[in-house]
Amino acid sequence: MEFQPYPFEKLNSLICGIQTSGERISLTIGEPQFNTPKNICEILRQKVEFLNKYPKTAGEGFLKDSMLNFLARRFNVALNPNELIPTFGTREVLFNFPQFYLFDKKNPILAHPNPFYQIYEGAAIASRAKSIYMNLTPQNGFKPSLTKEQMQDCDLVILNSPNNPTGATLSLEELKQWVEYALEYDFLLLNDECYSEIYSISKPTSILQACLEIGNERFKNVLALNSISKRSSAPGLRSGFIAGDSNILKPYLQYRTYVGCASPLPLQYAAAFAWSEDSHTESSRAQYAKNLQLAKEILGAKIPNLRVPNETFYVWLPVQNDLEWTKNLLMKENILVLPGSFLSRKNNKGENPGENFVRLALVYEESILKDALLRLQKWL
């Protein structure tokens, strides 16, 4: 297997040798810079004695119940216990689930957005799968699509709504259409919904809601992933889930007993509390909304038609020559961003939709971010 370097490895190579002075502001990684809420940390401290126990692969009942209740509160979706598996975050699922699902396919084909979270590509490589890149461009509103022929050929389609890095979000009607395609062309549809709780106006929709809307009550051919990392500023808890079609999840759970990704019990207790409690998410959600508004005001003054999303905490900023722009910004302003070409690939037409964009992760408190945005504005 031959994997491409991760975007941050490429970035380190790009900026190697660049000397700067003063404190650097990095807008590269989607890691919340707010403290994990104290009550979550306190649960973790209280339960540390359970480190002497082996955790179950399937997760404890109290953790699964907290996730099921979250789905019921947030999306009005009532799942049976066999329709959800707690996971060690979602990165491990995105990597190992395609290997499980595509193992018996003779010539597997996996479609995913482009640009993308690089684990999608890694999963395709590890699964010996051909990749179909669904280019996200300004012309298509950064929305993924496939031709009829591609859908006939696909075994697995990964969506990512709300999307990293573009911030674009699929509507309920668009998600319903994707579910209908999955049923008509008999491919498995997986939506990565890890940014569903970061929004400033309307709440993003789950693919599971779309299933119910069209009468797919058993979620045939459909799975959803979600994570606590962004919702609770707690990426270190490594708490996520995969939910949907129980006919697929049952053998996948058995497969997971060999993977060894069970979450330690103290983390499960803390995560269960976080999934069960909603008020702690409101302050960080409000801060991200302020950050996006700041970007709209400050950067929009130089780019009048700048598209700033209402979901996620990213701005997909158009620039000229993303690699040179990134280096020059670092040299002049000591601000580091992530070139869009590191997050995307050329498709079979030679098109790379990430070129001439950079990703800004607006994950800091207002005072730090405002300083960074004002310096960015000068450079624009």
Side-chain angles (χ1 to χ4, degrees), residues 41-293:
C41 296
E42 183 57 33
I43 297 292
L44 184 60
R45 281 191 288 267
Q46 291 174 7
K47 301 299 183 179
V48 70
E49 63 191 62
F50 288 102
L51 284 174
N52 69 336
K53 305 292 183 184
Y54 279 114
K56 300 174 184 175
T57 296
E60 296 297 324
F62 62 80
L63 177 60
K64 179 179 280 194
D65 287 344
S66 70
M67 294 169 170
L68 292 170
N69 290 333
F70 163 75
L71 284 168
R73 290 193 317 274
R74 170 64 175 83
F75 299 109
N76 196 29
V77 173
L79 296 183
N80 295 318
N82 65 347
E83 293 173 329
L84 182 145
I85 299 174
T87 62
F88 198 61
T90 54
R91 179 172 173 170
E92 58 100 346
V93 184
L94 287 164
F95 186 65
N96 68 49
F97 178 83
Q99 295 176 63
F100 153 78
Y101 184 73
L102 298 174
F103 180 81
D104 291 323
K105 309 293 184 184
K106 187 175 181 181
N107 296 297
I109 297 177
L110 186 158
H112 62 74
N114 187 33
F116 55 90
Y117 180 33
Q118 190 155 321
I119 209 71
Y120 306 159
E121 177 188 70
I125 294 170
S127 305
R128 304 168 293 103
K130 173 186 174 183
S131 290
I132 295 178
Y133 297 114
M134 299 186 287
N135 280 8
L136 309 180
T137 67
Q139 291 73 31
N140 61 27
F142 302 102
K143 303 292 180 72
S145 65
L146 292 170
T147 65
K148 178 180 177 180
E149 290 73 21
Q150 288 172 326
M151 288 189 283
Q152 289 173 332
D153 292 340
C154 264
D155 298 295
L156 174 60
V157 176
I158 298 177
L159 303 179
N160 176 209
S161 176
N163 180 259
N164 166 24
T166 69
T169 300
L170 297 173
S171 68
L172 176 59
E173 291 303 315
E174 289 168 326
L175 289 172
K176 286 164 58 178
Q177 182 64 76
W178 273 107
V179 174
E180 289 171 348
Y181 286 148
L183 296 173
E184 179 180 357
Y185 294 100
D186 196 28
F187 60 76
L188 181 60
L189 180 64
L190 186 155
N191 190 27
D192 178 358
E193 301 178 358
C194 290
Y195 291 89
S196 69
E197 304 313 290
I198 309 299
Y199 57 86
S200 55
I201 299 179
S202 57
K203 298 178 181 180
T205 302
S206 171
I207 197 77
L208 301 177
Q209 289 174 288
C211 286
L212 297 180
E213 285 280 328
I214 67 164
N216 185 13
E217 296 182 358
R218 295 279 64 88
F219 311 105
K220 177 178 170 57
N221 288 5
V222 176
L223 295 168
L225 271 68
N226 214 322
S227 164
I228 211 166
S229 299
K230 311 311 192 264
R231 178 181 185 270
S232 299
S233 299
L237 279 181
R238 309 311 305 138
S239 181
F241 62 74
I242 183 170
D245 190 333
S246 61
N247 290 323
I248 296 170
L249 292 182
K250 182 179 179 180
Y252 177 56
L253 179 58
Q254 184 176 24
Y255 165 87
R256 289 182 62 79
T257 62
Y258 292 85
V259 174
C261 285
S263 176
L265 281 171
L267 272 66
Q268 290 195 50
Y269 278 106
F273 175 83
W275 284 111
S276 300
E277 209 277 323
D278 297 325
S279 61
H280 72 275
T281 66
E282 295 173 3
S283 59
S284 58
R285 185 183 297 130
Q287 184 61 66
Y288 291 132
K290 284 184 182 178
N291 288 355
L292 290 169
Q293 183 60 34

Side-chain angles (χ1 to χ4, degrees), residues 115 316 322 338-344 352-359:
W316 192 231
D322 54 313
L338 190 61
S341 56
F342 290 172
L343 292 165
S344 55
N352 185 327
E355 286 182 350
N356 301 323
F357 284 90
V358 296
R359 190 186 76 174

Side-chain angles (χ1 to χ4, degrees), residues 270-335:
F273 175 83
W275 284 111
S276 300
E277 209 277 323
D278 297 325
S279 61
H280 72 275
T281 66
E282 295 173 3
S283 59
S284 58
R285 185 183 297 130
Q287 184 61 66
Y288 291 132
K290 284 184 182 178
N291 288 355
L292 290 169
Q293 183 60 34
L294 270 177
K296 187 179 294 185
E297 294 170 358
I298 295 174
L299 302 182
K302 284 293 184 75
I303 307 176
N305 296 320
L306 177 65
R307 177 185 166 277
V308 177
N310 295 313
E311 294 81 28
T312 79
F313 42 56
Y314 297 117
V315 171
W316 192 231
L317 186 69
V319 297
Q320 290 186 350
N321 192 328
D322 54 313
L323 301 184
E324 289 302 314
W325 199 90
T326 295
K327 290 193 293 184
N328 289 332
L329 177 67
L330 180 62
M331 287 187 288
K332 299 293 184 180
E333 299 292 344
N334 205 7
I335 295 174

